[in-house]
Amino acid sequence: MATRRSEMMEETRGKLIQAARKAFAEKGYASASMDDLTAAVGLTRGALYHNFGDKRGLLQAVVDRIDGEMAARAQAIGNAAGDEWAGLLAEGRAYIEMALEPEVQRIVLLDGPAVLGDPSQWPSQNSCLQATIAKVERLLAEGRLKPVDPEAAARLLNGAALNAALWIAASKEPEKVLAKALEAFRCLASGLLAKPG
């Protein structure tokens, strides 16, 4: 019985997150109606409040889901690079490029920070940071990076990618900004190399 109840709760959460994701992407956080959103999936506002506390809590869940998907995509791209350094750069590049995607732009990079505060403090960002620290530590162990604190380097690399993405999302000319941001990210990251190449 408890398992079935747990499954139903998870299904309800999933429906609400998916409906909110669609509404926030199409209308933006401020304009999305919670009554319309819950009605679209046959639920009540009570279900929303029970599962997420309020609209802000629902946005946090949506941002966590999208941010997790972004991290997984970026890591897959990095892992396909075949080399730890190339992978680190490819991950950063992929994350920055995702700022052109309308859903990512609106929910994660515009509405998310406006409502939830500093993205670097979001729980979903911590897993990205830990993965970057691990990569930097491996590169240091291989002697490929200048002696540097791994956490400091990882925080600066992640911060550069995040701020580049925020810049692109807020820009009137995101394609032009993307090219500038990618080149600057590559140059900044390359400064960590023991032997520039």
Side-chain angles (χ1 to χ4, degrees), residues 43-178:
L43 298 169
T44 64
R45 283 188 108 179
L48 182 145
Y49 294 126
H50 175 75
N51 282 281
F52 302 101
D54 57 14
K55 186 178 180 181
R56 186 180 186 280
L58 181 56
L59 176 63
Q60 180 71 63
V62 172
V63 165
D64 288 348
R65 168 95 35 103
I66 296 171
D67 206 31
E69 291 169 3
M70 291 171 66
R73 285 169 47 204
Q75 286 177 352
I77 289 166
N79 292 341
D83 168 78
E84 197 79 51
W85 175 250
L88 185 65
L89 290 180
E91 257 184 69
R93 180 181 181 95
Y95 187 89
I96 294 167
E97 288 173 343
M98 287 178 213
L100 293 179
E101 297 173 17
E103 180 185 60
V104 169
Q105 232 178 52
R106 181 168 228 164
I107 297 173
V108 177
L109 300 172
L110 296 174
D111 287 347
V115 176
L116 304 173
D118 180 6
S120 70
Q121 301 302 309
W122 295 348
S124 57
Q125 287 291 316
N126 190 50
S127 63
C128 292
L129 176 63
Q130 296 308 314
T132 305
I133 290 171
K135 284 184 192 243
V136 168
E137 286 173 339
R138 288 191 296 272
L139 287 163
L140 282 165
E142 294 171 9
R144 296 189 60 194
L145 299 184
K146 295 173 184 169
V148 65
D149 180 81
E151 181 179 357
R155 283 186 180 279
L156 292 174
L157 288 167
N158 283 15
L162 173 61
N163 278 286
L166 290 167
W167 180 33
I168 292 161
S171 174
K172 300 258 187 258
E173 297 181 307
E175 292 283 348
K176 285 184 181 178
V177 170
L178 173 66

Side-chain angles (χ1 to χ4, degrees), residues 85 89 156-157 160-161 181-193:
W85 175 250
L89 290 180
L156 292 174
L157 288 167
L182 289 173
E183 179 60 17
F185 179 77
R186 187 191 61 73
C187 288
L188 285 170
S190 296
L192 292 170
L193 285 172

